[in-house]
Amino acid sequence: MRPFTPFEKRNMEYLVNKNIKFTQVQITRTGLKKSIMDATAPMRAYFKENDIHDYALQKKGQDNKVIIHTHILTEFKDIDTRTSLYRPETKDGDPRIWVYKLKETTDADDIHAIIALNPEELYVINLTKVDIIKCCETSIANPVQYLILLLSDNADRISEELLGKLMEFQGMWIDTGLKADTAIGRQVESLLEIDMNDSTLPDYKGVELKSFRAKRPNIKKNLFCKVPDWDISKLKSGTEIVAKYGYLSGGIKSYRNTLSCKFPNSQNLRLNMNYPSDLLEIEEDKVIGPDLFRKVADVAVWRLQTLHKCLLLKHHETFWIEADTRIDEFGREQFRFNKIEHTRDPIVSQFDILLEQSMITVDLLLGRPKFNPVSGEKKKGGDAVSFKIKKNAAGLLFPNSVTYYF
């Protein structure tokens, strides 16, 4: 899928903030001409999670085609039509989708949102052309406005207990007690009497805590940590990746770099979304021209389903804690709460798209010294693989956030 325009991104952020779950599809020139579109992995996941359709259970051929009642919405019209979901006999039965009458309202490369009202009814809105915010905020009734009002979830589940505990430290400067990127997060856990651990579960009674320094405007927010699925990977451990692609740092061979889908990094490693196989891949690429590269070798992979589960488990509800910092007269770093953004229930179908758009990236920290904050001991083997999202892209993943200012 091509990069989103500011107009399209604004439309999607509005839907996300209204807690409306949706999937996207780009209509290519060839697809528009042939009346055919690929059902991508994010779309298939959305259909399955919303009990609309499971392509994995569908047999090939026209006799097994599934038809769903559909509405194409514009600012003024509700076009009643149908959507077909099928797997052709040719091309290994790759999942396909087509919305009848779509040619009446779209041009090549337009991106559309597909929204399920229920398992038997779909709505399609052209994100490239339709101004969703204008439709919803006008006093003139229209089809888009009606759908958004119908689907909006205004439930407000504020974690009063946790917020109350943090508000007790309002205006206070607190010693970090540790020189590390994670120092503030560790100290917040200590203030809340949370035992330090490496659990994949949320920190405080189901609420995940993520702390970061306000002075870092381009900071990426850490979503979760998850090593590749070694059982289906070419290289079977972080040690093997370091052996092949690592370099000496501080006398220790390690690998520390960021991976994205957009371009290979300095070690020629890049992420690739393998939608047909529902995998996120690390591959070695060779650059053959400006913005052109080809795969040289497979490195490691994650199952997308595994990553979706990590996201939902870790961020069912999250407090993103932003802190001001200063250095006191003794050279110690101190922090003070600035604001907290409260999010819940990320939209899983957006996760894959944001990876593809390089708004979500992966940090590989392999073969680095492991630091014990209690004893100060360092030893080899502190591997970490972190999925991070750009700060300005979080609104596309997390719906209906609430911000508290200190």
Side-chain angles (χ1 to χ4, degrees), residues 11-23 46 50 114-117 132 136 147-157 312 315-316 342-350 394-402:
N11 271 334
M12 288 188 291
E13 286 177 339
Y14 188 81
L15 293 176
V16 169
N17 286 331
K18 290 293 183 181
N19 202 22
I20 294 174
K21 298 179 180 180
F22 62 97
T23 187
Y46 176 82
N50 288 276
I114 299 178
I115 302 170
L117 179 62
I132 295 177
C136 291
L147 176 68
I148 302 306
L149 289 174
L150 189 63
L151 290 173
S152 293
D153 176 13
N154 294 317
D156 188 14
R157 298 184 295 142
L312 290 172
H315 291 288
H316 172 66
H342 180 197
T343 63
R344 56 184 174 85
D345 296 331
I347 298 177
V348 171
S349 59
Q350 289 289 93
L396 293 173
L397 184 63
F398 296 99
N400 207 29
S401 66
V402 178

Side-chain angles (χ1 to χ4, degrees), residues 321-346:
I321 302 171
E322 181 175 306
D324 296 321
T325 58
R326 71 178 186 183
I327 303 298
D328 69 6
E329 63 270 24
F330 302 105
R332 299 173 301 190
E333 184 186 38
Q334 297 180 322
F335 70 92
R336 180 178 62 186
F337 296 132
N338 180 328
K339 64 180 180 181
I340 295 174
E341 184 178 9
H342 180 197
T343 63
R344 56 184 174 85
D345 296 331

Side-chain angles (χ1 to χ4, degrees), residues 201-383:
L201 297 175
D203 298 307
Y204 185 88
K205 299 180 181 180
V207 180
E208 177 69 7
L209 302 173
K210 292 293 184 183
S211 304
F212 56 95
R213 295 167 175 81
K215 290 183 179 179
R216 299 183 179 181
N218 298 320
I219 193 171
K220 294 178 182 178
K221 294 182 175 181
N222 189 18
L223 291 173
F224 57 84
C225 294
K226 182 67 179 75
V227 298
D229 292 319
W230 301 120
D231 61 312
I232 56 172
S233 295
K234 180 72 172 179
L235 301 184
K236 299 300 183 182
S237 66
T239 301
E240 290 190 22
I241 293 178
V242 171
K244 187 170 182 179
Y245 299 103
Y247 48 86
L248 287 176
S249 176
I252 297 177
K253 192 174 185 180
S254 61
Y255 185 96
R256 305 184 187 186
N257 213 333
T258 298
L259 280 68
S260 73
C261 284
K262 193 171 184 180
F263 298 113
N265 63 18
S266 54
Q267 283 80 42
N268 295 319
L269 297 189
R270 185 178 71 90
L271 298 176
N272 178 61
M273 296 296 298
N274 184 339
Y275 286 126
S277 300
D278 290 339
L279 298 174
L280 174 65
E281 302 172 328
I282 303 175
E283 62 182 38
E284 179 185 356
D285 288 340
K286 180 178 181 180
V287 178
I288 57 178
D291 299 339
L292 295 175
F293 35 83
R294 61 178 176 82
K295 183 170 74 172
V296 174
D298 294 313
V299 180
V301 300
W302 294 265
R303 297 176 178 90
L304 287 177
Q305 185 179 13
T306 301
L307 299 180
H308 295 165
K309 289 180 179 179
C310 288
L311 178 66
L312 290 172
L313 180 64
K314 197 71 170 176
H315 291 288
H316 172 66
E317 194 165 6
T318 305
F319 272 28
W320 305 89
I321 302 171
E322 181 175 306
D324 296 321
T325 58
R326 71 178 186 183
I327 303 298
D328 69 6
E329 63 270 24
F330 302 105
R332 299 173 301 190
E333 184 186 38
Q334 297 180 322
F335 70 92
R336 180 178 62 186
F337 296 132
N338 180 328
K339 64 180 180 181
I340 295 174
E341 184 178 9
H342 180 197
T343 63
R344 56 184 174 85
D345 296 331
I347 298 177
V348 171
S349 59
Q350 289 289 93
F351 178 79
D352 300 350
I353 297 295
L354 294 175
L355 272 166
E356 184 181 9
Q357 298 271 327
S358 294
M359 296 181 188
I360 293 177
T361 57
V362 177
D363 283 358
L364 290 188
L365 304 175
L366 306 176
R368 63 178 183 166
K370 185 174 183 180
F371 179 73
N372 185 322
V374 178
S375 67
E377 178 188 3
K378 292 184 179 181
K379 59 182 180 180
K380 189 175 178 181
D383 292 348

Side-chain angles (χ1 to χ4, degrees), residues 100-258:
Y100 299 103
K101 299 184 182 181
L102 194 60
K103 294 181 180 180
E104 298 177 15
T105 61
T106 191
D107 293 317
D109 292 324
D110 283 358
I111 293 177
H112 293 68
I114 299 178
I115 302 170
L117 179 62
N118 55 60
E120 299 178 352
E121 194 169 14
L122 298 177
Y123 284 79
V124 178
I125 303 175
N126 190 325
L127 296 171
T128 307
K129 289 184 168 61
V130 177
D131 191 331
I132 295 177
I133 298 177
K134 183 178 179 180
C135 288
C136 291
E137 295 183 352
T138 181
S139 59
I140 302 173
N142 60 80
V144 175
Q145 182 186 78
Y146 176 78
L147 176 68
I148 302 306
L149 289 174
L150 189 63
L151 290 173
S152 293
D153 176 13
N154 294 317
D156 188 14
R157 298 184 295 142
I158 305 300
S159 298
E160 294 286 356
E161 178 183 328
L162 176 57
L163 181 62
K165 286 179 175 290
L166 294 172
M167 291 296 288
E168 292 177 6
F169 302 96
Q170 186 175 23
M172 294 176 54
W173 286 100
I174 303 165
D175 291 337
T176 59
L178 178 68
K179 289 185 178 181
D181 289 341
T182 59
I184 295 177
R186 295 295 192 191
Q187 189 66 341
V188 169
E189 291 178 355
S190 177
L191 295 174
L192 295 171
E193 299 180 342
I194 299 172
D195 292 334
M196 187 174 62
N197 61 72
D198 296 323
S199 173
T200 59
L201 297 175
D203 298 307
Y204 185 88
K205 299 180 181 180
V207 180
E208 177 69 7
L209 302 173
K210 292 293 184 183
S211 304
F212 56 95
R213 295 167 175 81
K215 290 183 179 179
R216 299 183 179 181
N218 298 320
I219 193 171
K220 294 178 182 178
K221 294 182 175 181
N222 189 18
L223 291 173
F224 57 84
C225 294
K226 182 67 179 75
V227 298
D229 292 319
W230 301 120
D231 61 312
I232 56 172
S233 295
K234 180 72 172 179
L235 301 184
K236 299 300 183 182
S237 66
T239 301
E240 290 190 22
I241 293 178
V242 171
K244 187 170 182 179
Y245 299 103
Y247 48 86
L248 287 176
S249 176
I252 297 177
K253 192 174 185 180
S254 61
Y255 185 96
R256 305 184 187 186
N257 213 333
T258 298

Side-chain angles (χ1 to χ4, degrees), residues 33-75:
K33 182 179 179 180
K34 295 184 177 181
S35 299
I36 188 173
M37 297 181 291
D38 290 330
T40 62
M43 183 187 299
R44 299 198 302 272
Y46 176 82
F47 285 167
K48 183 177 180 179
E49 290 162 5
N50 288 276
D51 297 321
I52 299 164
H53 182 63
D54 188 348
Y55 279 99
L57 303 178
Q58 187 176 23
K59 296 180 179 179
K60 300 179 185 179
Q62 291 293 319
D63 292 341
N64 299 296
K65 181 184 294 185
V66 173
I67 302 295
I68 299 180
H69 184 210
T70 302
H71 303 261
I72 300 174
L73 302 186
T74 71
E75 293 94 333

